[in-house]
Amino acid sequence: MLDVIIIGAGPAGVAAAIYAARQKLNFLLISKNLGGMANYIPDIENYPGFHYLSGYDLVRKFQEHLDDFKVSIKSEQEVKSVEKKGDGFLVKTDKGQYETKSLVVCSGRGFKKLGVKGEKEFFEKGVSECATCDAPMFKGKTVAVVGGGRSGLLSTMFLMNMVKKIYLVEKNNELGGTDAWREAVRNAKNVEIMTTTEVLEILGDKFVNKIKISRNGKKEFLPVEGVFVEVGYVPHTEFVKNLVKLNDRKEIIIDKENNTSCKGVFAAGDCTDIVEKQVIVSTGEGAKAMMCVTEFLAEQKKK
């Protein structure tokens, strides 16, 4: 039986794995990729030791650090469930099942969908969830950014020096984000802000060529060649919903020592109810969680 299984290899999972390796624990790091949402961050300016780098660059640093400790990722596309089994837990994935004495859930979060007709059909055919990744393909084109919150404004600012025109579509009557971001977007000559507006459908032929919207109750079509969906995130916690307590956002509820409601199950990073969802916060939480796991295992051994 393993000492601990870490689910997710984003910033929290990577930090937890490094600490587990340093403690010479018998563990697995299970994830479908490395870095999680950090890969999509265009600029990171607040990570100590690095004055400026992209999320992609930071993830490459994570890989180097894992390599130093000879930590490899057990590549699994999906963790289907976690069950209590005796004094430990049984983790079932799409490829197998593993027994462990403890668990650290660092499964992060993913992009929230619009849930409209055409979104799935035109994904990667004009519909994108990552402005940082896909912006070069839309150079000189007209696009829509759906969502006027933090992520929507950041994507708009990233795109506005590259595309011909941006329709910034927000269903509420005001934009979110900071004053500086709102001012930057409002001052951009190629950005048209459309509040109290909802996207009803994404249309096209082989690729997106327009969206159907409802603005102040009036339906109309906007000609666009790209749609960037920026309407928020959802935590990846479905596989533990029957094991630990979640809040109304489906985030895992943890205490200051990263304990969940189930003894032996710890959690860290964006899948938890911590307020700040930042790379630096997640790395700290992942390290702290594994330190608490080490104490838990020592107590179990004494018993």
Side-chain angles (χ1 to χ4, degrees):
M1 182 182 288
L2 296 161
D3 290 324
V4 60
I5 288 178
I6 303 162
I7 298 176
V14 168
I18 290 169
Y19 270 69
R22 291 179 71 245
Q23 293 296 322
K24 301 189 184 306
L25 297 178
N26 181 19
F27 75 98
L28 274 183
L29 174 60
I30 297 176
S31 183
K32 64 180 178 181
N33 61 27
L34 174 65
M37 295 296 291
N39 286 292
Y40 302 105
I41 303 173
D43 306 318
I44 298 176
E45 299 176 311
N46 61 350
Y47 201 92
F50 299 99
H51 297 285
Y52 170 84
L53 76 172
S54 70
Y56 178 84
D57 292 333
L58 182 60
V59 172
R60 302 287 73 74
K61 297 290 185 183
F62 287 167
Q63 181 67 70
E64 291 172 10
H65 209 155
L66 290 174
D67 290 343
D68 287 343
F69 283 97
K70 296 180 172 55
V71 176
S72 59
I73 297 174
K74 186 75 173 176
S75 181
E76 313 273 342
Q77 286 299 311
E78 182 184 7
V79 175
K80 294 184 175 295
S81 66
V82 179
E83 304 169 5
K84 194 81 176 72
K85 183 177 181 181
D87 294 331
F89 303 91
L90 181 65
V91 177
K92 295 181 179 180
T93 75
D94 61 315
K95 292 185 178 180
Q97 55 186 39
Y98 314 92
E99 291 187 38
T100 180
K101 298 172 186 175
S102 62
L103 191 73
V104 182
V105 182
C106 305
S107 49
R109 56 180 176 161
F111 296 106
K112 191 175 181 179
K113 307 294 184 184
L114 277 175
V116 300
K117 187 178 179 182
E119 180 180 23
K120 182 178 180 180
E121 292 83 349
F122 290 104
F123 183 67
E124 295 185 340
K125 297 176 182 178
V127 174
S128 171
E129 296 174 337
C130 179
T132 310
C133 315
D134 299 334
M137 295 188 291
F138 296 89
K139 188 174 182 179
K141 296 182 179 181
T142 297
V143 303
V145 173
V146 186
R150 179 182 183 278
S151 57
L153 293 188
L154 286 172
S155 291
T156 299
M157 289 187 290
F158 186 78
L159 287 162
M160 62 192 190
N161 293 322
M162 197 175 299
V163 302
K164 179 181 178 182
K165 181 172 181 175
I166 301 171
Y167 292 104
L168 178 54
V169 181
E170 167 57 41
K171 66 179 181 180
N172 296 315
N173 57 12
E174 292 182 356
L175 298 177
T178 67
D179 290 340
W181 296 349
R182 289 192 294 271
E183 183 178 0
V185 168
R186 286 173 180 143
N187 290 338
K189 294 181 180 179
N190 63 337
V191 177
E192 182 176 340
I193 298 170
M194 306 180 76
T195 53
T196 62
T197 305
E198 288 191 65
V199 174
L200 304 178
E201 187 177 354
I202 299 170
L203 304 101
D205 186 10
K206 292 183 179 179
F207 296 91
V208 171
N209 58 33
K210 61 186 170 183
I211 57 175
K212 183 179 182 181
I213 64 168
S214 174
R215 190 177 191 185
N216 295 317
K218 182 182 178 182
K219 294 180 176 60
E220 58 182 292
F221 292 92
L222 295 178
V224 297
E225 295 167 276
V227 180
F228 291 87
V229 180
E230 298 286 355
V231 291
Y233 307 91
V234 289
H236 296 311
T237 57
E238 184 71 17
F239 62 95
V240 289
K241 68 179 182 180
N242 296 320
L243 187 67
V244 302
K245 288 184 178 178
L246 308 179
N247 64 13
D248 58 356
R249 295 181 180 180
K250 297 184 179 180
E251 298 168 331
I252 300 171
I253 299 171
I254 59 172
D255 65 14
K256 64 181 181 180
E257 295 179 334
N258 297 81
N259 290 292
T260 67
S261 59
C262 180
K263 191 171 181 62
V265 179
F266 300 77
D270 287 359
C271 65
T272 72
D273 63 344
I274 57 170
V275 176
E276 297 298 336
K277 313 294 188 187
Q278 293 195 9
V279 172
I280 189 170
V281 174
S282 290
T283 51
E285 287 288 302
K288 179 159 64 76
M290 189 52 67
M291 293 170 73
C292 295
V293 166
T294 303
E295 291 182 9
F296 168 78
L297 292 171
E299 290 175 3
Q300 295 300 105
K301 190 174 182 180
K302 287 179 183 178
K303 291 179 181 179

